[in-house]
Amino acid sequence: MTPTTETTVGIGGAAESTDMVLNIGPQHPSTHGVLRLRLVLDGERIQHAEPVIGYMHRGAEKLFEARDYRQIIMLANRHDWLSAFSNELGVVLAVERMLGMEVPERAVWLRTLLAELNRVLNHLMFLGSYPLELGGITPMFHAFREREELQNVMEEISGGRMHYMFNRVGGLKEDLPAGWPSRAREAVAAVRSRMGVFDDLVLGNEIFRGRTRGVGVLSAEAVHAYGVSGPIARASGVDFDLRRDEPYLAYGELTDTLRVVTRQEGDCLARFECLLEQTHNALDLADACLDRLADLPPGPVNQRLPKVLKAPEGHTYAWTENPLGINGYYLVSKGEKTPYRLKLRSASYNNIQALTELLPGTLVADMVAILGSLFFVVGDIDK
């Protein structure tokens, strides 16, 4: 009789104690660009989260070193494609500070006005896209209608819809078209009259509140530890806004209108509420700037510059309160027409790091709600 061998095969013997690694992305509809999340799961609960960045990296900081001070404005306005005007602003403020240059008063107020209109455009995109990520499509249509009102006046003044290229070292590209202030005022009024849709349709929606209240709570300590800024930080009770605390442009004269919106809860709902209230306030600031511009006499909006613009040797840091948070440029000059070094500190790069703190311990079903509430642009991370 031929001897036989018996083999016992066990299937799934250690499955209950084995963690699963799940990749979200790098192409995923819930991410604002090409981001990858590496999640370690224990069942439906996230144990560990690692944002993997760099898929869109374009080396902007290195390209700055090969462009003169007029050309780098074009590169700088592209990392956060929803905040192009604000991106340009930081560069020109840094160069003007190095040159010790005074900008005409009319240009200062115009820059402040356009920065606030750009802030509204940025926020409207997230006010529409965040509910969309949670299954509500209607707010996106409203958001794009309101964006179009403001896009029209921004396009009229600059010629661009996304990359305005309207800032210049020493001021702005050119003065306002005839009748533009009244058209801008009408656009602001039209958008303000319909902003209640987001209060009623989104914040008044019990499903939206159920998906966001108490979800993804970010503590004030974590905000400071990760360098989080903007509406996300203020939703966690960190009461800091450069426009009020270190005023630049004309914000020092707008203290009666400027309102820094904060919340204490630090959850997804608080972040959305901060964004919405900040949009209302940006519209008020735009009106205040239009009122001030109406009182100013006609005058120049820029300074005459030499054919070859060189910044003196030295270094400076200029930071602004961009729509998504603090945006800073550290400029080092060796006296040439190109920067020796121009380091960009973008808001989204710091903000997205908080995911490593926010996601562990939460359910996979809440991952998109938390991710979307950080209001980031991946180009702002992969700069």
Side-chain angles (χ1 to χ4, degrees):
M1 183 176 177
T2 305
T4 59
T5 304
E6 293 185 4
T7 304
T8 304
V9 180
I11 300 175
E16 294 179 1
S17 61
T18 302
D19 292 334
M20 182 174 77
V21 177
L22 178 66
N23 280 292
I24 307 292
Q27 281 88 16
H28 193 272
S30 70
T31 60
H32 303 270
V34 187
L35 175 73
R36 174 181 160 214
L37 288 179
R38 184 180 180 275
L39 306 179
V40 178
L41 307 179
D42 180 8
E44 287 292 309
R45 202 164 290 278
I46 298 171
Q47 298 291 94
H48 176 75
E50 177 191 358
V52 182
I53 65 173
Y55 291 97
M56 292 182 64
H57 183 55
R58 291 163 290 173
E61 292 175 335
K62 198 65 185 171
L63 291 172
F64 288 153
E65 299 171 15
R67 306 291 189 277
D68 67 35
Y69 288 108
R70 293 179 174 90
Q71 294 170 326
I72 58 177
I73 300 171
M74 178 275 295
L75 283 173
N77 77 8
R78 280 162 162 72
H79 57 91
D80 174 1
W81 46 75
L82 297 176
S83 311
F85 187 87
S86 302
N87 299 340
E88 300 170 9
L89 200 53
V91 170
V92 295
L93 289 175
V95 178
E96 287 162 4
R97 187 175 297 173
M98 290 285 284
L99 294 168
M101 181 181 289
E102 289 289 331
V103 176
E105 184 181 15
R106 188 171 170 78
V108 171
W109 281 95
L110 261 175
R111 280 177 171 179
T112 311
L113 166 62
L114 296 173
E116 290 306 312
L117 292 179
N118 193 195
R119 192 180 309 277
V120 178
L121 282 169
N122 174 289
H123 289 357
L124 281 170
M125 176 62 79
F126 290 106
L127 292 173
S129 67
Y130 186 46
L132 179 65
E133 289 161 4
L134 298 180
I137 191 172
T138 311
M140 197 65 166
F141 297 120
H142 290 280
F144 266 86
R145 181 180 66 177
E146 310 317 329
R147 275 174 56 84
E148 202 60 32
E149 292 274 3
L150 298 176
Q151 285 281 29
N152 288 338
V153 294
M154 293 293 280
E155 185 176 5
E156 181 184 359
I157 195 174
S158 68
R161 287 181 63 83
M162 283 188 70
H163 305 300
Y164 304 110
M165 275 301 296
F166 200 60
N167 276 293
R168 295 292 186 273
V169 176
L172 294 168
K173 177 185 174 186
E174 56 200 10
D175 208 341
L176 305 175
W180 185 88
S182 61
R183 290 190 288 278
R185 198 181 291 276
E186 289 169 6
V188 169
V191 172
R192 182 187 286 109
S193 69
R194 296 192 291 259
M195 283 299 294
V197 166
F198 295 98
D199 290 293
D200 302 332
L201 189 64
V202 183
L203 286 181
N205 186 292
E206 61 183 48
I207 299 175
F208 178 83
R209 299 184 76 86
R211 290 290 307 277
T212 56
R213 187 194 287 116
V215 175
V217 177
L218 183 66
S219 67
E221 292 75 21
V223 166
H224 293 302
Y226 286 93
V228 175
S229 60
I232 304 169
R234 292 190 282 274
S236 295
V238 178
D239 189 6
F240 180 73
D241 190 313
L242 283 174
R243 297 173 297 170
R244 180 198 63 194
D245 300 322
E246 290 196 22
Y248 58 98
L249 296 182
Y251 289 114
E253 300 180 48
L254 291 168
T255 52
D256 292 338
T257 308
L258 176 62
R259 186 164 52 87
V260 179
V261 182
T262 60
R263 291 288 187 277
Q264 298 301 318
E265 295 83 358
D267 57 9
C268 295
L269 181 60
R271 291 191 278 274
F272 187 86
E273 288 176 343
C274 278
L275 200 75
L276 180 54
E277 284 196 41
Q278 193 167 285
T279 308
H280 285 288
N281 187 237
L283 292 169
D284 294 339
L285 288 167
D287 268 341
C289 291
L290 285 165
D291 291 340
R292 177 66 173 150
L293 282 166
D295 295 336
L296 289 177
V301 294
N302 49 39
Q303 297 275 28
R304 291 184 66 87
L305 298 175
K307 188 172 182 180
V308 178
L309 180 64
K310 294 184 178 182
E313 190 168 343
H315 60 91
T316 190
Y317 182 68
W319 57 349
T320 55
E321 187 68 43
N322 266 33
L324 298 181
I326 292 174
N327 192 80
Y329 291 96
Y330 177 60
L331 171 62
V332 181
S333 171
K334 291 293 184 74
E336 301 296 329
K337 65 179 182 179
T338 61
Y340 176 75
R341 183 80 172 92
L342 186 57
K343 172 72 173 70
L344 166 60
R345 188 267 190 220
S346 63
S348 298
Y349 183 80
N350 282 68
N351 292 355
I352 203 68
Q353 295 179 84
L355 282 171
T356 58
E357 183 94 8
L358 280 175
L359 289 178
T362 63
L363 296 171
V364 176
D366 291 327
M367 184 270 297
V368 172
I370 297 169
L371 183 64
S373 72
L374 290 187
F375 311 130
F376 62 90
V377 172
V378 175
D380 204 36
I381 303 169
D382 294 343
K383 49 193 187 293

PDB file of all heavy atoms in Angstrom, residues 249-280:
ATOM      1  N   LEU A 249      -1.138  96.516   3.032  1.00  0.00           N
ATOM      2  CA  LEU A 249      -2.027  97.229   2.104  1.00  0.00           C
ATOM      3  C   LEU A 249      -2.850  98.261   2.885  1.00  0.00           C
ATOM      4  O   LEU A 249      -2.296  99.026   3.662  1.00  0.00           O
ATOM      5  CB  LEU A 249      -2.921  96.236   1.347  1.00  0.00           C
ATOM      6  CG  LEU A 249      -2.210  95.243   0.413  1.00  0.00           C
ATOM      7  CD1 LEU A 249      -3.227  94.354  -0.303  1.00  0.00           C
ATOM      8  CD2 LEU A 249      -1.342  95.952  -0.602  1.00  0.00           C
ATOM      9  N   ALA A 250      -4.182  98.258   2.693  1.00  0.00           N
ATOM     10  CA  ALA A 250      -5.022  99.259   3.360  1.00  0.00           C
ATOM     11  C   ALA A 250      -5.794  98.671   4.536  1.00  0.00           C
ATOM     12  O   ALA A 250      -6.719  99.309   5.047  1.00  0.00           O
ATOM     13  CB  ALA A 250      -5.991  99.865   2.342  1.00  0.00           C
ATOM     14  N   TYR A 251      -5.431  97.461   4.978  1.00  0.00           N
ATOM     15  CA  TYR A 251      -6.224  96.798   6.018  1.00  0.00           C
ATOM     16  C   TYR A 251      -6.184  97.547   7.350  1.00  0.00           C
ATOM     17  O   TYR A 251      -7.117  97.444   8.143  1.00  0.00           O
ATOM     18  CB  TYR A 251      -5.755  95.354   6.199  1.00  0.00           C
ATOM     19  CG  TYR A 251      -6.122  94.467   5.032  1.00  0.00           C
ATOM     20  CD1 TYR A 251      -5.146  93.925   4.213  1.00  0.00           C
ATOM     21  CD2 TYR A 251      -7.460  94.192   4.743  1.00  0.00           C
ATOM     22  CE1 TYR A 251      -5.487  93.116   3.131  1.00  0.00           C
ATOM     23  CE2 TYR A 251      -7.809  93.385   3.670  1.00  0.00           C
ATOM     24  CZ  TYR A 251      -6.814  92.856   2.869  1.00  0.00           C
ATOM     25  OH  TYR A 251      -7.156  92.065   1.798  1.00  0.00           O
ATOM     26  N   GLY A 252      -5.113  98.303   7.583  1.00  0.00           N
ATOM     27  CA  GLY A 252      -5.036  99.067   8.818  1.00  0.00           C
ATOM     28  C   GLY A 252      -6.121 100.120   8.932  1.00  0.00           C
ATOM     29  O   GLY A 252      -6.477 100.549  10.035  1.00  0.00           O
ATOM     30  N   GLU A 253      -6.674 100.541   7.795  1.00  0.00           N
ATOM     31  CA  GLU A 253      -7.746 101.545   7.786  1.00  0.00           C
ATOM     32  C   GLU A 253      -9.130 100.912   7.673  1.00  0.00           C
ATOM     33  O   GLU A 253     -10.122 101.617   7.544  1.00  0.00           O
ATOM     34  CB  GLU A 253      -7.525 102.533   6.634  1.00  0.00           C
ATOM     35  CG  GLU A 253      -6.209 103.295   6.724  1.00  0.00           C
ATOM     36  CD  GLU A 253      -6.039 104.266   5.563  1.00  0.00           C
ATOM     37  OE1 GLU A 253      -6.992 105.020   5.275  1.00  0.00           O
ATOM     38  OE2 GLU A 253      -4.962 104.257   4.939  1.00  0.00           O
ATOM     39  N   LEU A 254      -9.181  99.593   7.675  1.00  0.00           N
ATOM     40  CA  LEU A 254     -10.460  98.892   7.512  1.00  0.00           C
ATOM     41  C   LEU A 254     -10.846  98.118   8.780  1.00  0.00           C
ATOM     42  O   LEU A 254     -11.639  97.175   8.711  1.00  0.00           O
ATOM     43  CB  LEU A 254     -10.373  97.917   6.328  1.00  0.00           C
ATOM     44  CG  LEU A 254     -10.275  98.552   4.942  1.00  0.00           C
ATOM     45  CD1 LEU A 254      -9.910  97.513   3.896  1.00  0.00           C
ATOM     46  CD2 LEU A 254     -11.584  99.234   4.557  1.00  0.00           C
ATOM     47  N   THR A 255     -10.301  98.530   9.909  1.00  0.00           N
ATOM     48  CA  THR A 255     -10.548  97.782  11.146  1.00  0.00           C
ATOM     49  C   THR A 255     -12.019  97.779  11.552  1.00  0.00           C
ATOM     50  O   THR A 255     -12.473  96.845  12.222  1.00  0.00           O
ATOM     51  CB  THR A 255      -9.699  98.369  12.291  1.00  0.00           C
ATOM     52  OG1 THR A 255      -9.923  99.795  12.351  1.00  0.00           O
ATOM     53  CG2 THR A 255      -8.216  98.104  12.062  1.00  0.00           C
ATOM     54  N   ASP A 256     -12.760  98.813  11.146  1.00  0.00           N
ATOM     55  CA  ASP A 256     -14.185  98.846  11.490  1.00  0.00           C
ATOM     56  C   ASP A 256     -14.993  97.835  10.687  1.00  0.00           C
ATOM     57  O   ASP A 256     -16.058  97.385  11.123  1.00  0.00           O
ATOM     58  CB  ASP A 256     -14.761 100.250  11.256  1.00  0.00           C
ATOM     59  CG  ASP A 256     -14.197 101.269  12.233  1.00  0.00           C
ATOM     60  OD1 ASP A 256     -13.719 100.841  13.294  1.00  0.00           O
ATOM     61  OD2 ASP A 256     -14.217 102.479  11.918  1.00  0.00           O
ATOM     62  N   THR A 257     -14.499  97.483   9.503  1.00  0.00           N
ATOM     63  CA  THR A 257     -15.211  96.548   8.619  1.00  0.00           C
ATOM     64  C   THR A 257     -14.692  95.123   8.755  1.00  0.00           C
ATOM     65  O   THR A 257     -15.457  94.158   8.695  1.00  0.00           O
ATOM     66  CB  THR A 257     -15.085  97.002   7.150  1.00  0.00           C
ATOM     67  OG1 THR A 257     -15.472  98.375   7.044  1.00  0.00           O
ATOM     68  CG2 THR A 257     -15.978  96.171   6.243  1.00  0.00           C
ATOM     69  N   LEU A 258     -13.378  94.997   8.938  1.00  0.00           N
ATOM     70  CA  LEU A 258     -12.758  93.671   9.005  1.00  0.00           C
ATOM     71  C   LEU A 258     -13.208  92.925  10.257  1.00  0.00           C
ATOM     72  O   LEU A 258     -13.116  93.430  11.364  1.00  0.00           O
ATOM     73  CB  LEU A 258     -11.231  93.810   8.999  1.00  0.00           C
ATOM     74  CG  LEU A 258     -10.427  92.518   9.154  1.00  0.00           C
ATOM     75  CD1 LEU A 258     -10.691  91.562   8.008  1.00  0.00           C
ATOM     76  CD2 LEU A 258      -8.946  92.834   9.258  1.00  0.00           C
ATOM     77  N   ARG A 259     -13.680  91.719  10.066  1.00  0.00           N
ATOM     78  CA  ARG A 259     -14.125  90.886  11.176  1.00  0.00           C
ATOM     79  C   ARG A 259     -13.449  89.515  11.048  1.00  0.00           C
ATOM     80  O   ARG A 259     -13.597  88.841  10.028  1.00  0.00           O
ATOM     81  CB  ARG A 259     -15.648  90.731  11.137  1.00  0.00           C
ATOM     82  CG  ARG A 259     -16.241  90.002  12.333  1.00  0.00           C
ATOM     83  CD  ARG A 259     -17.749  90.238  12.394  1.00  0.00           C
ATOM     84  NE  ARG A 259     -18.392  89.932  11.132  1.00  0.00           N
ATOM     85  CZ  ARG A 259     -18.828  88.716  10.789  1.00  0.00           C
ATOM     86  NH1 ARG A 259     -18.694  87.710  11.626  1.00  0.00           N
ATOM     87  NH2 ARG A 259     -19.417  88.517   9.624  1.00  0.00           N
ATOM     88  N   VAL A 260     -12.697  89.158  12.066  1.00  0.00           N
ATOM     89  CA  VAL A 260     -11.999  87.867  12.065  1.00  0.00           C
ATOM     90  C   VAL A 260     -12.951  86.823  12.639  1.00  0.00           C
ATOM     91  O   VAL A 260     -13.319  86.879  13.810  1.00  0.00           O
ATOM     92  CB  VAL A 260     -10.699  87.936  12.877  1.00  0.00           C
ATOM     93  CG1 VAL A 260     -10.007  86.577  12.879  1.00  0.00           C
ATOM     94  CG2 VAL A 260      -9.774  89.001  12.304  1.00  0.00           C
ATOM     95  N   VAL A 261     -13.355  85.888  11.798  1.00  0.00           N
ATOM     96  CA  VAL A 261     -14.352  84.876  12.177  1.00  0.00           C
ATOM     97  C   VAL A 261     -13.653  83.694  12.835  1.00  0.00           C
ATOM     98  O   VAL A 261     -12.701  83.132  12.280  1.00  0.00           O
ATOM     99  CB  VAL A 261     -15.131  84.395  10.936  1.00  0.00           C
ATOM    100  CG1 VAL A 261     -16.201  83.392  11.337  1.00  0.00           C
ATOM    101  CG2 VAL A 261     -15.741  85.580  10.194  1.00  0.00           C
ATOM    102  N   THR A 262     -14.111  83.322  14.012  1.00  0.00           N
ATOM    103  CA  THR A 262     -13.537  82.164  14.709  1.00  0.00           C
ATOM    104  C   THR A 262     -14.646  81.242  15.219  1.00  0.00           C
ATOM    105  O   THR A 262     -15.798  81.642  15.357  1.00  0.00           O
ATOM    106  CB  THR A 262     -12.675  82.592  15.913  1.00  0.00           C
ATOM    107  OG1 THR A 262     -13.493  83.316  16.841  1.00  0.00           O
ATOM    108  CG2 THR A 262     -11.503  83.445  15.491  1.00  0.00           C
ATOM    109  N   ARG A 263     -14.274  80.013  15.483  1.00  0.00           N
ATOM    110  CA  ARG A 263     -15.121  79.025  16.143  1.00  0.00           C
ATOM    111  C   ARG A 263     -14.252  78.286  17.156  1.00  0.00           C
ATOM    112  O   ARG A 263     -13.025  78.315  17.073  1.00  0.00           O
ATOM    113  CB  ARG A 263     -15.714  78.030  15.134  1.00  0.00           C
ATOM    114  CG  ARG A 263     -16.745  78.595  14.194  1.00  0.00           C
ATOM    115  CD  ARG A 263     -18.051  78.894  14.909  1.00  0.00           C
ATOM    116  NE  ARG A 263     -19.099  79.282  13.983  1.00  0.00           N
ATOM    117  CZ  ARG A 263     -19.266  80.509  13.498  1.00  0.00           C
ATOM    118  NH1 ARG A 263     -18.413  81.465  13.836  1.00  0.00           N
ATOM    119  NH2 ARG A 263     -20.247  80.787  12.678  1.00  0.00           N
ATOM    120  N   GLN A 264     -14.866  77.595  18.077  1.00  0.00           N
ATOM    121  CA  GLN A 264     -14.126  76.848  19.085  1.00  0.00           C
ATOM    122  C   GLN A 264     -14.167  75.339  18.858  1.00  0.00           C
ATOM    123  O   GLN A 264     -13.329  74.615  19.379  1.00  0.00           O
ATOM    124  CB  GLN A 264     -14.694  77.158  20.487  1.00  0.00           C
ATOM    125  CG  GLN A 264     -14.576  78.622  20.898  1.00  0.00           C
ATOM    126  CD  GLN A 264     -13.146  79.129  20.905  1.00  0.00           C
ATOM    127  OE1 GLN A 264     -12.240  78.428  21.357  1.00  0.00           O
ATOM    128  NE2 GLN A 264     -12.936  80.340  20.415  1.00  0.00           N
ATOM    129  N   GLU A 265     -15.145  74.863  18.071  1.00  0.00           N
ATOM    130  CA  GLU A 265     -15.360  73.413  17.959  1.00  0.00           C
ATOM    131  C   GLU A 265     -14.233  72.705  17.214  1.00  0.00           C
ATOM    132  O   GLU A 265     -13.896  71.562  17.526  1.00  0.00           O
ATOM    133  CB  GLU A 265     -16.688  73.128  17.259  1.00  0.00           C
ATOM    134  CG  GLU A 265     -17.913  73.594  18.022  1.00  0.00           C
ATOM    135  CD  GLU A 265     -18.220  75.065  17.797  1.00  0.00           C
ATOM    136  OE1 GLU A 265     -17.447  75.729  17.067  1.00  0.00           O
ATOM    137  OE2 GLU A 265     -19.211  75.559  18.356  1.00  0.00           O
ATOM    138  N   GLY A 266     -13.667  73.332  16.170  1.00  0.00           N
ATOM    139  CA  GLY A 266     -12.571  72.729  15.430  1.00  0.00           C
ATOM    140  C   GLY A 266     -12.958  71.560  14.558  1.00  0.00           C
ATOM    141  O   GLY A 266     -12.091  70.821  14.078  1.00  0.00           O
ATOM    142  N   ASP A 267     -14.267  71.349  14.313  1.00  0.00           N
ATOM    143  CA  ASP A 267     -14.690  70.222  13.477  1.00  0.00           C
ATOM    144  C   ASP A 267     -14.949  70.678  12.037  1.00  0.00           C
ATOM    145  O   ASP A 267     -14.764  71.847  11.685  1.00  0.00           O
ATOM    146  CB  ASP A 267     -15.921  69.545  14.076  1.00  0.00           C
ATOM    147  CG  ASP A 267     -17.096  70.512  14.261  1.00  0.00           C
ATOM    148  OD1 ASP A 267     -17.019  71.654  13.775  1.00  0.00           O
ATOM    149  OD2 ASP A 267     -18.099  70.117  14.896  1.00  0.00           O
ATOM    150  N   CYS A 268     -15.385  69.737  11.197  1.00  0.00           N
ATOM    151  CA  CYS A 268     -15.631  70.046   9.783  1.00  0.00           C
ATOM    152  C   CYS A 268     -16.689  71.133   9.634  1.00  0.00           C
ATOM    153  O   CYS A 268     -16.564  72.018   8.777  1.00  0.00           O
ATOM    154  CB  CYS A 268     -16.088  68.780   9.054  1.00  0.00           C
ATOM    155  SG  CYS A 268     -14.848  67.478   8.969  1.00  0.00           S
ATOM    156  N   LEU A 269     -17.730  71.072  10.450  1.00  0.00           N
ATOM    157  CA  LEU A 269     -18.795  72.070  10.378  1.00  0.00           C
ATOM    158  C   LEU A 269     -18.266  73.456  10.721  1.00  0.00           C
ATOM    159  O   LEU A 269     -18.601  74.440  10.052  1.00  0.00           O
ATOM    160  CB  LEU A 269     -19.929  71.680  11.323  1.00  0.00           C
ATOM    161  CG  LEU A 269     -21.150  72.614  11.349  1.00  0.00           C
ATOM    162  CD1 LEU A 269     -21.793  72.705   9.980  1.00  0.00           C
ATOM    163  CD2 LEU A 269     -22.165  72.140  12.389  1.00  0.00           C
ATOM    164  N   ALA A 270     -17.433  73.555  11.750  1.00  0.00           N
ATOM    165  CA  ALA A 270     -16.870  74.847  12.144  1.00  0.00           C
ATOM    166  C   ALA A 270     -16.008  75.431  11.036  1.00  0.00           C
ATOM    167  O   ALA A 270     -16.030  76.646  10.783  1.00  0.00           O
ATOM    168  CB  ALA A 270     -16.053  74.688  13.424  1.00  0.00           C
ATOM    169  N   ARG A 271     -15.259  74.577  10.350  1.00  0.00           N
ATOM    170  CA  ARG A 271     -14.414  75.068   9.259  1.00  0.00           C
ATOM    171  C   ARG A 271     -15.263  75.612   8.116  1.00  0.00           C
ATOM    172  O   ARG A 271     -14.948  76.657   7.529  1.00  0.00           O
ATOM    173  CB  ARG A 271     -13.488  73.947   8.778  1.00  0.00           C
ATOM    174  CG  ARG A 271     -12.422  73.572   9.807  1.00  0.00           C
ATOM    175  CD  ARG A 271     -11.361  72.656   9.236  1.00  0.00           C
ATOM    176  NE  ARG A 271     -11.751  71.255   9.216  1.00  0.00           N
ATOM    177  CZ  ARG A 271     -11.592  70.414  10.237  1.00  0.00           C
ATOM    178  NH1 ARG A 271     -11.082  70.839  11.383  1.00  0.00           N
ATOM    179  NH2 ARG A 271     -11.934  69.148  10.126  1.00  0.00           N
ATOM    180  N   PHE A 272     -16.356  74.944   7.803  1.00  0.00           N
ATOM    181  CA  PHE A 272     -17.247  75.433   6.749  1.00  0.00           C
ATOM    182  C   PHE A 272     -17.913  76.738   7.172  1.00  0.00           C
ATOM    183  O   PHE A 272     -18.035  77.672   6.367  1.00  0.00           O
ATOM    184  CB  PHE A 272     -18.313  74.376   6.435  1.00  0.00           C
ATOM    185  CG  PHE A 272     -19.183  74.715   5.253  1.00  0.00           C
ATOM    186  CD1 PHE A 272     -18.779  74.396   3.962  1.00  0.00           C
ATOM    187  CD2 PHE A 272     -20.392  75.361   5.424  1.00  0.00           C
ATOM    188  CE1 PHE A 272     -19.577  74.719   2.870  1.00  0.00           C
ATOM    189  CE2 PHE A 272     -21.194  75.688   4.340  1.00  0.00           C
ATOM    190  CZ  PHE A 272     -20.788  75.359   3.060  1.00  0.00           C
ATOM    191  N   GLU A 273     -18.333  76.838   8.426  1.00  0.00           N
ATOM    192  CA  GLU A 273     -18.972  78.063   8.915  1.00  0.00           C
ATOM    193  C   GLU A 273     -18.011  79.249   8.867  1.00  0.00           C
ATOM    194  O   GLU A 273     -18.401  80.359   8.494  1.00  0.00           O
ATOM    195  CB  GLU A 273     -19.481  77.856  10.342  1.00  0.00           C
ATOM    196  CG  GLU A 273     -20.703  76.960  10.437  1.00  0.00           C
ATOM    197  CD  GLU A 273     -21.123  76.692  11.869  1.00  0.00           C
ATOM    198  OE1 GLU A 273     -20.319  76.922  12.788  1.00  0.00           O
ATOM    199  OE2 GLU A 273     -22.274  76.247  12.069  1.00  0.00           O
ATOM    200  N   CYS A 274     -16.759  79.013   9.237  1.00  0.00           N
ATOM    201  CA  CYS A 274     -15.756  80.083   9.167  1.00  0.00           C
ATOM    202  C   CYS A 274     -15.568  80.558   7.736  1.00  0.00           C
ATOM    203  O   CYS A 274     -15.480  81.764   7.462  1.00  0.00           O
ATOM    204  CB  CYS A 274     -14.418  79.594   9.731  1.00  0.00           C
ATOM    205  SG  CYS A 274     -14.309  79.650  11.524  1.00  0.00           S
ATOM    206  N   LEU A 275     -15.503  79.602   6.819  1.00  0.00           N
ATOM    207  CA  LEU A 275     -15.322  79.956   5.408  1.00  0.00           C
ATOM    208  C   LEU A 275     -16.501  80.777   4.903  1.00  0.00           C
ATOM    209  O   LEU A 275     -16.310  81.787   4.195  1.00  0.00           O
ATOM    210  CB  LEU A 275     -15.181  78.677   4.584  1.00  0.00           C
ATOM    211  CG  LEU A 275     -14.528  78.836   3.216  1.00  0.00           C
ATOM    212  CD1 LEU A 275     -13.031  79.023   3.364  1.00  0.00           C
ATOM    213  CD2 LEU A 275     -14.811  77.628   2.331  1.00  0.00           C
ATOM    214  N   LEU A 276     -17.704  80.390   5.260  1.00  0.00           N
ATOM    215  CA  LEU A 276     -18.896  81.088   4.790  1.00  0.00           C
ATOM    216  C   LEU A 276     -18.962  82.502   5.370  1.00  0.00           C
ATOM    217  O   LEU A 276     -19.217  83.474   4.638  1.00  0.00           O
ATOM    218  CB  LEU A 276     -20.145  80.285   5.172  1.00  0.00           C
ATOM    219  CG  LEU A 276     -21.499  80.869   4.755  1.00  0.00           C
ATOM    220  CD1 LEU A 276     -21.541  81.154   3.264  1.00  0.00           C
ATOM    221  CD2 LEU A 276     -22.626  79.927   5.157  1.00  0.00           C
ATOM    222  N   GLU A 277     -18.727  82.645   6.672  1.00  0.00           N
ATOM    223  CA  GLU A 277     -18.782  83.973   7.279  1.00  0.00           C
ATOM    224  C   GLU A 277     -17.666  84.870   6.773  1.00  0.00           C
ATOM    225  O   GLU A 277     -17.840  86.076   6.626  1.00  0.00           O
ATOM    226  CB  GLU A 277     -18.716  83.856   8.811  1.00  0.00           C
ATOM    227  CG  GLU A 277     -20.019  83.395   9.442  1.00  0.00           C
ATOM    228  CD  GLU A 277     -20.052  83.652  10.939  1.00  0.00           C
ATOM    229  OE1 GLU A 277     -19.585  84.724  11.371  1.00  0.00           O
ATOM    230  OE2 GLU A 277     -20.531  82.768  11.666  1.00  0.00           O
ATOM    231  N   GLN A 278     -16.510  84.285   6.499  1.00  0.00           N
ATOM    232  CA  GLN A 278     -15.405  85.067   5.957  1.00  0.00           C
ATOM    233  C   GLN A 278     -15.739  85.574   4.563  1.00  0.00           C
ATOM    234  O   GLN A 278     -15.302  86.657   4.162  1.00  0.00           O
ATOM    235  CB  GLN A 278     -14.134  84.218   5.928  1.00  0.00           C
ATOM    236  CG  GLN A 278     -12.873  85.011   5.692  1.00  0.00           C
ATOM    237  CD  GLN A 278     -11.629  84.210   5.974  1.00  0.00           C
ATOM    238  OE1 GLN A 278     -11.260  83.967   7.114  1.00  0.00           O
ATOM    239  NE2 GLN A 278     -10.965  83.772   4.922  1.00  0.00           N
ATOM    240  N   THR A 279     -16.513  84.811   3.805  1.00  0.00           N
ATOM    241  CA  THR A 279     -16.949  85.256   2.481  1.00  0.00           C
ATOM    242  C   THR A 279     -17.857  86.472   2.603  1.00  0.00           C
ATOM    243  O   THR A 279     -17.719  87.452   1.846  1.00  0.00           O
ATOM    244  CB  THR A 279     -17.691  84.117   1.751  1.00  0.00           C
ATOM    245  OG1 THR A 279     -16.883  82.939   1.767  1.00  0.00           O
ATOM    246  CG2 THR A 279     -17.979  84.485   0.309  1.00  0.00           C
ATOM    247  N   HIS A 280     -18.809  86.432   3.541  1.00  0.00           N
ATOM    248  CA  HIS A 280     -19.671  87.586   3.785  1.00  0.00           C
ATOM    249  C   HIS A 280     -18.837  88.818   4.117  1.00  0.00           C
ATOM    250  O   HIS A 280     -19.085  89.915   3.604  1.00  0.00           O
ATOM    251  CB  HIS A 280     -20.636  87.294   4.942  1.00  0.00           C
ATOM    252  CG  HIS A 280     -21.766  86.387   4.586  1.00  0.00           C
ATOM    253  ND1 HIS A 280     -22.822  86.775   3.776  1.00  0.00           N
ATOM    254  CD2 HIS A 280     -22.022  85.096   4.922  1.00  0.00           C
ATOM    255  CE1 HIS A 280     -23.667  85.776   3.635  1.00  0.00           C
ATOM    256  NE2 HIS A 280     -23.207  84.737   4.323  1.00  0.00           N
TER     257      HIS A 280
END
